[in-house]
């Protein structure tokens, strides 16, 4: 009898012996080789590459399958059963071998083609980046995709950028213009889907003007012997933390009406706000600072307002009241004059942060909670509550009358806190540290300061500081050096004893300010 070299199923062997109990001299040599060998191969239609192989044949005790994909170990399958294998996209030769108990084999090679479907439901979302007019973000979703590629359309022979679903890709264009953005969804094989969108990149000069953009063209037109350019802030401080400002030099002997103007990309919208505020720095106090607005096409269509400054060698904010302005006229040029009515003596003046305003006080840093006209509206969460109260300990470094008070209730969340929304984002271009005075009944607790974008709280940054004294005022410093100014952080969030459940303790905070 031949030596059997196949793997036997216990069930099959037992059945065979049972059926042959009346003849102990079974001759396996009489078994014929298997016939009609084939396989049903079904491919999952989800681009997974998963293939189910069901061998078929007559006179077969067991099947042996070689997947044809380079796998060195063959698989064994009992009759009527199936086996699965995962393939890359391609064409394969699958070998099916049928075996009998006596070791006779019949093999068949059957071709298998694995092809992936093109992704469907492709949707690309392209959005501008707040604070950078030359940037866009790209996101995409699709069905049956493995990953995406994006072509931004600004480079010849561009190499695409790969990204996954749920990922956001940011791109900065080198200049203004119209570009075609192509997003391709890949299936893991040759089949792809794509979508294109046209994006127009513009970098308009509009209010507010803060002179901080690295891409905007702040082009001034000078007249009468004055000259204006954008320069470093000569006096960075709490009154103006900007890094870059406009500098107007009124040359020796220049005209009494010498000045400069900048033309906006579109007319000023006076439909709601009728006043314009501007920060100024002058080596003299008591001089006339004139702001004139002109039509871009006809300078005879104009209006002007004079304001007298009150501070020398320091920044102050002047408000120019254009209430009653003719709304049917389009004013697109902003003209600035310093020491109007007097000839130039070579002195330099600075101006910054030109923006529309209601004229009412605005909520901004520094926050000292002393204003009788501002509304300090806190938003509380996690069973913490903040209000403005009288200073409970007028002493040491804090003799303020009013301060912020936070009560972290019994059982309050470890992350319980409060935030206040400023009227405009914090400008970190010049100063990137924040100081805050705090009073705590405990030393050694974490006081977290978090900054958030007003429209999207997922755009945020936070720092921790630890108190060192109890029942006394101290000043904590939060170093946000390297912060992304274009993220427009406008919410100031405060947490006391962060990470610890509330126990009813009361904490105080005050004088939140920028510093270097």
């Amino acid at each position: 009898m031949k030596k059997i070299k196949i793997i036997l199923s216990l069930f099959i062997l037992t059945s065979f012996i049972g059926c042959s109990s009346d003849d102990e001299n079974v001759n396996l040599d009489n078994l014929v080789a298997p016939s009609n060998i084939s396989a049903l191969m079904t491919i999952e239609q989800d681009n997974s590459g998963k293939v189910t192989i069901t061998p078929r044949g007559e006179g077969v005790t067991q099947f042996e399958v070689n997947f044809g994909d380079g796998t060195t170990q063959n698989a064994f399958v009992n009759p009527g059963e199936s086996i699965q294998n995962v393939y890359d996209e391609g064409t394969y030769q699958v070998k099916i071998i049928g075996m009998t108990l006596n070791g006779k084999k019949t093999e068949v090679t059957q071709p298998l083609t694995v092809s992936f479907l093109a992704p469907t439901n492709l949707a690309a979302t392209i959005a501008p980046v707040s604070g950078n007019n030359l940037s866009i973000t790209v996101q995409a979703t699709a069905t049956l995709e493995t990953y995406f590629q994006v072509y931004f359309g600004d480079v010849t022979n561009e190499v695409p950028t790969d990204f996954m679903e749920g990922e956001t890709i940011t791109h900065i264009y080198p200049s203004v213009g119209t570009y075609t953005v192509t997003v391709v969804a890949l299936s893991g094989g040759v089949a792809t889907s794509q979508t294109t969108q046209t994006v127009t990149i513009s970098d308009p000069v509009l209010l507010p003007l803060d002179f901080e953009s690295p891409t905007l063209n702040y082009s001034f037109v000078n007249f009468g012997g004055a000259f204006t350019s954008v320069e470093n802030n000569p006096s960075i401080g709490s009154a103006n933390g900007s890094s870059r400002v406009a500098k107007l030099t009124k040359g020796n002997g220049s005209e009494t009406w010498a000045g400069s103007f900048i033309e906006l990309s579109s007319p000023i919208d006076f439909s709601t706000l009728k006043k314009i505020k501007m920060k100024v720095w002058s080596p003299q106090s008591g001089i006339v600072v004139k702001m004139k607005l002109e039509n871009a096409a006809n300078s005879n269509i104009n209006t002007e307002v004079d304001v007298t400054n009150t501070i020398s060698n320091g920044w102050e904010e002047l408000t120019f009241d254009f209430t009653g302005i003719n709304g049917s006229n389009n004013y697109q040029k902003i003209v600035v004059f310093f020491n109007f009515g007097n000839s130039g003596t070579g002195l330099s003046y600075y101006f910054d942060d030109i923006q529309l305003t209601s004229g009412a006080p605005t909520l901004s840093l520094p926050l000292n909670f002393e204003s009788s006209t501002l509304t300090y509206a806190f938003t509380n969460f996690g069973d913490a509550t903040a209000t403005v109260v009288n200073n409970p300990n007028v002493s040491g470094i804090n003799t303020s009358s009013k301060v912020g008070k936070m009560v972290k209730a019994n059982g309050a969340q470890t992350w319980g806190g409060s935030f206040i929304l400023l009227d405009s984002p914090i400008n970190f271009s010049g100063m990137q540290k924040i100081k805050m005075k705090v009073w705590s009944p405990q030393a050694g607790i974490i006081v977290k300061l978090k900054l958030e974008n007003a429209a999207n709280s997922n755009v945020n940054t936070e720092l921790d500081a630890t108190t060192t004294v109890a029942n006394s005022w101290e000043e904590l410093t939060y170093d946000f050096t390297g912060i992304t100014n274009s993220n427009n952080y406008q919410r100031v969030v405060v947490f006391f004893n962060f990470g610890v459940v509330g126990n009813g303790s009361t904490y105080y905070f005050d004088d939140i300010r920028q510093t270097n």
Side-chain angles (χ1 to χ4, degrees):
M1 181 182 295
K2 294 181 180 179
K3 184 178 180 181
I4 300 174
K5 297 182 180 179
I6 60 175
I7 300 173
L8 298 177
S9 165
L10 181 60
F11 173 77
I12 295 173
L13 181 60
T14 302
S15 299
F16 181 83
I17 293 173
C19 293
S20 305
S21 60
D22 56 349
D23 184 1
E24 296 181 358
N25 298 315
V26 178
N27 186 358
L28 297 179
D29 289 336
N30 292 331
L31 294 176
V32 298
S35 60
N36 297 324
I37 303 299
S38 66
L40 173 65
M41 294 184 285
T42 57
I43 304 172
E44 295 285 344
Q45 298 299 298
D46 59 359
N47 286 3
S48 65
K50 183 185 292 184
V51 178
T52 300
I53 301 174
T54 306
R56 297 184 292 194
E58 297 175 6
V60 178
T61 302
Q62 195 170 46
F63 292 98
E64 187 177 357
V65 179
N66 182 289
F67 297 114
D69 61 352
T71 304
T72 57
Q73 190 91 18
N74 288 353
F76 294 90
V77 185
N78 291 325
E81 296 183 356
S82 301
I83 192 167
Q84 291 183 330
N85 188 51
V86 176
Y87 290 89
D88 292 329
E89 188 176 53
T91 301
Y92 304 90
Q93 297 298 319
V94 181
K95 185 181 293 184
I96 312 297
I97 303 169
M99 301 176 289
T100 63
L101 284 174
N102 64 357
K104 292 182 180 180
K105 299 180 180 181
T106 301
E107 67 178 52
V108 171
T109 299
Q110 188 168 318
L112 169 67
T113 299
V114 178
S115 60
F116 291 167
L117 301 171
T120 58
N121 303 319
L122 173 59
T125 301
I126 300 175
V129 175
S130 177
N132 189 335
N133 293 328
L134 298 184
S135 292
I136 63 168
T137 60
V138 177
Q139 296 177 313
T141 59
T143 304
L144 300 180
E145 102 292 343
T146 55
Y147 68 101
F148 300 95
Q149 292 181 331
V150 57
Y151 297 83
F152 295 102
D154 58 343
V155 176
T156 303
N157 299 322
E158 181 178 358
V159 176
T161 301
D162 298 341
F163 67 102
M164 304 297 293
E165 186 166 320
E167 187 178 358
T168 300
I169 299 298
T170 301
H171 182 71
I172 302 175
Y173 284 96
S175 60
V176 299
T178 300
Y179 303 91
T180 299
V181 179
T182 302
V183 176
V184 182
L186 293 94
S187 65
V190 298
T192 63
S193 298
Q194 74 176 45
T195 182
T196 61
Q197 293 186 35
T198 300
V199 297
T200 300
I201 301 299
S202 60
D203 206 11
V205 179
L206 301 170
L207 294 185
L209 283 175
D210 61 9
F211 308 111
E212 299 292 341
S213 172
T215 59
L216 279 176
N217 179 21
Y218 299 109
S219 178
F220 288 94
V221 176
N222 307 297
F223 53 88
F227 179 81
T228 298
S229 59
V230 176
E231 307 286 346
N232 291 331
N233 186 348
S235 181
I236 295 176
S238 59
N240 188 3
S242 296
S243 173
R244 305 283 282 173
V245 298
K247 173 185 177 182
L248 185 151
T249 300
K250 198 168 179 180
N252 272 312
S254 61
E255 302 291 345
T256 59
W257 40 264
S260 302
F261 73 80
I262 187 169
E263 184 171 339
L264 304 179
S265 299
S266 60
I268 301 170
D269 181 6
F270 282 109
S271 60
T272 303
L273 302 175
K274 309 292 187 182
K275 299 177 182 180
I276 295 179
K277 62 182 179 179
M278 178 173 71
K279 293 177 183 175
V280 303
W281 187 101
S282 167
Q284 310 156 279
S285 61
I287 67 168
V288 172
V289 181
K290 181 189 291 292
M291 180 179 288
K292 185 177 184 180
L293 307 178
E294 293 181 354
N295 181 277
N298 184 359
S299 61
N300 291 321
I301 300 174
N302 62 70
T303 184
E304 59 187 48
V305 173
D306 291 345
V307 178
T308 301
N309 75 333
T310 61
I311 296 176
S312 62
N313 299 308
W315 285 100
E316 68 177 311
E317 191 169 71
L318 305 182
T319 299
F320 300 83
D321 189 350
F322 290 98
T323 300
I325 193 169
N326 187 342
S328 63
N329 291 334
N330 289 327
Y331 299 103
Q332 203 162 337
K333 293 179 180 177
I334 298 178
V335 194
V336 177
F337 309 80
F338 278 93
N339 203 8
F340 187 82
N342 294 303
S343 297
T345 59
L347 293 177
S348 292
Y349 309 88
Y350 299 86
F351 56 102
D352 195 19
D353 294 334
I354 307 173
Q355 58 186 301
L356 287 163
T357 180
S358 65
T362 57
L363 195 62
S364 61
L365 297 187
L367 282 175
N368 59 18
F369 307 113
E370 300 293 335
S371 174
S372 59
T373 57
L374 286 172
T375 299
Y376 300 104
F378 289 98
T379 299
N380 306 301
F381 52 88
D383 293 323
T385 304
T387 54
V388 174
V389 299
N390 292 329
N391 187 346
N393 187 1
V394 180
S395 63
I397 63 169
N398 192 3
T399 58
S400 295
S401 172
K402 297 287 188 178
V403 298
K405 171 186 175 182
M406 182 179 293
V407 178
K408 196 169 179 181
N410 271 311
Q413 301 291 337
T414 57
W415 41 264
S418 300
F419 73 78
I420 192 167
L421 179 65
L422 305 180
D423 287 328
S424 58
I426 302 170
N427 184 355
F428 284 104
S429 62
M431 296 187 288
Q432 298 193 334
K433 296 179 181 179
I434 291 180
K435 288 184 179 290
M436 179 171 66
K437 293 175 183 174
V438 303
W439 186 101
S440 167
Q442 306 157 272
I445 69 167
I446 292 176
V447 183
K448 183 187 290 290
L449 184 65
K450 185 177 184 180
L451 307 175
E452 295 180 350
N453 179 280
N456 183 1
S457 61
N458 291 321
V459 179
N460 64 69
T461 184
E462 60 186 47
L463 289 174
D464 293 343
T466 302
T467 60
T468 61
V469 298
N471 301 310
S472 182
W473 285 101
E474 67 177 312
E475 191 168 60
L476 304 180
T477 301
Y478 300 84
D479 189 350
F480 289 100
T481 298
I483 193 170
T484 303
N485 195 30
S486 61
N487 282 345
N488 292 328
Y489 297 111
Q490 199 166 343
R491 284 180 182 165
V492 178
V493 195
V494 178
F495 309 80
F496 277 93
N497 207 6
F498 185 83
V500 179
V501 174
N503 59 10
S505 293
T506 298
Y507 309 90
Y508 299 91
F509 55 102
D510 196 17
D511 295 333
I512 306 174
R513 62 189 177 91
Q514 287 181 275
T515 178
N516 276 332

